[in-house]
Amino acid sequence: MQKLEQLYEGKAKKVFKTDDPKLYIVDYKDDATAFNGEKKGTIASKGVVNNRMSAIIFAQLEEKGVPTHLVELLSDRETLVKAVKILPLEVIVRNVAAGSFSKRYGVEEGRKLVKPCLEFSYKNDDLGDPLINDDHILALELAAPEQLDLIRKYAFMVNDFLIEFFLKSDLNLIDFKIEFGLFDGKVILADEISPDTCRLWDVHTGEKMDKDRFRRDLGNVEETYQEVLARVEKNS
Ligand code: TMP
Ligand code: ASP
């Protein structure tokens, strides 16, 4: 399958058309941004880590009954995916308080939440991806009611799966962000699941093993991405 015209370039990935209108090729970059693009950098081989890790996770999620955009891994940086139309929602599930949740509600990072907590952001860089609730989503027709129901259901299925998946690699899943798209009118999981989009803390040391190392200048960013991929490849 050949890459044709570039359709889109995001902060971390490029998307290309193929000769099949129902399929795209995603090409993962090493570029890293944080704080809505204010902080910019490069994490060597991040694209390889995120591409390979996403393919492993999406393939296992399919087996668990979560439909995804994955068709097949093509190379270290490229994956063939279904040509979805992305819904403009960042779907976040939190198990432990951290990041913007801790800041917003004045809760210390690391406090276990008594139940997994789902939140949505409206994907809009100009607005800084503002928090949005179910009623807002329906009122603005960002998703239909039955689509929203499915998104909620799949998000918790992904959470249940990922908690176990990462525990096998001695990583605690603190929170993550996923995105969904429409393909043939159906809601399917799209985008990526990687150290860019999850918070992962080492079970033994509590060390941050994710993009917070870049966001917060904690050092060993590249090594940490490599370590997470190595653990995941060994244990899956
Ligand atoms: P937050 O605490 O900054 O809101 O982040 C929650 C989760 O979402 C965390 O795992 C990081 C991930 N995330 C993204 O994948 N993309 C983003 O643009 C942001 C802000 C967070
Ligand atoms: N997507 C965010 C941005 O560039 C990065 C992040 O914090 O994950 O701004």
Side-chain angles (χ1 to χ4, degrees):
M1 188 70 66
Q2 287 291 312
K3 277 184 192 160
L4 299 179
E5 173 200 342
Q6 182 177 309
L7 202 66
Y8 168 81
E9 177 161 6
K11 293 179 196 137
K13 300 186 280 297
K14 295 177 183 172
V15 181
F16 294 86
K17 287 189 176 174
T18 67
D19 55 17
D20 183 338
K22 297 215 152 194
L23 299 175
Y24 293 154
I25 291 173
V26 182
D27 189 333
Y28 285 72
K29 307 190 287 182
D30 288 348
D31 299 347
T33 63
F35 315 118
N36 203 14
E38 256 174 58
K39 180 180 172 118
K40 289 192 175 68
T42 306
I43 302 172
S45 297
K46 171 171 86 80
V48 176
V49 171
N50 292 3
N51 181 45
R52 283 169 47 176
M53 200 165 136
S54 294
I56 292 169
I57 292 172
F58 278 47
Q60 294 195 21
L61 280 169
E62 285 278 352
E63 286 175 18
K64 302 275 174 197
V66 178
T68 81
H69 72 169
L70 176 69
V71 178
E72 69 173 319
L73 189 70
L74 295 177
S75 71
D76 261 1
R77 289 183 183 272
E78 297 163 312
T79 294
L80 187 65
V81 299
K82 293 174 184 157
V84 299
K85 187 173 172 292
I86 293 281
L87 294 167
L89 296 173
E90 301 206 331
V91 180
I92 294 159
V93 181
R94 301 181 187 270
N95 298 300
V96 174
S100 69
F101 182 96
S102 285
K103 213 176 227 174
R104 193 181 320 122
Y105 302 119
V107 180
E108 79 276 15
E109 285 205 315
R111 173 162 151 191
K112 174 108 179 73
L113 303 173
V114 296
K115 67 193 263 309
C117 174
L118 188 149
E119 74 188 39
F120 297 105
S121 292
Y122 176 33
K123 225 171 114 71
N124 183 318
D125 282 338
D126 292 340
L127 300 176
D129 299 339
L131 206 61
I132 190 168
N133 73 20
D134 292 47
D135 277 355
H136 298 147
I137 291 168
L138 296 176
L140 295 172
E141 297 182 292
L142 301 180
E146 59 282 4
Q147 292 170 347
L148 191 54
D149 288 345
L150 275 176
I151 289 170
R152 297 187 70 97
K153 180 176 118 180
Y154 292 151
F156 286 117
M157 286 170 72
V158 172
N159 189 45
D160 289 343
F161 167 76
L162 287 181
I163 289 172
E164 294 302 319
F165 177 86
F166 284 123
L167 258 190
K168 285 189 271 174
S169 293
D170 282 352
L171 294 166
N172 262 329
L173 178 67
I174 305 305
D175 57 31
F176 63 92
K177 184 266 303 180
I178 48 179
E179 297 183 20
F180 291 89
L182 296 180
F183 182 73
D184 284 343
K186 294 204 172 67
V187 172
I188 66 174
L189 184 67
D191 194 50
E192 67 180 274
I193 296 181
S194 71
D196 269 15
T197 64
C198 300
R199 281 198 176 91
L200 303 166
W201 295 356
D202 185 89
V203 165
H204 304 289
T205 64
E207 200 175 351
K208 294 180 170 49
M209 303 287 287
D210 56 64
K211 195 177 170 189
D212 273 348
R213 300 206 75 80
F214 169 77
R215 296 189 188 99
R216 304 179 185 191
D217 297 318
L218 300 177
N220 290 329
V221 183
E222 282 138 27
E223 295 81 350
T224 300
Y225 274 73
Q226 292 298 332
E227 165 78 17
V228 171
L229 178 66
R231 287 195 201 180
V232 159
E233 288 192 328
K234 187 166 151 240
N235 298 307
S236 57

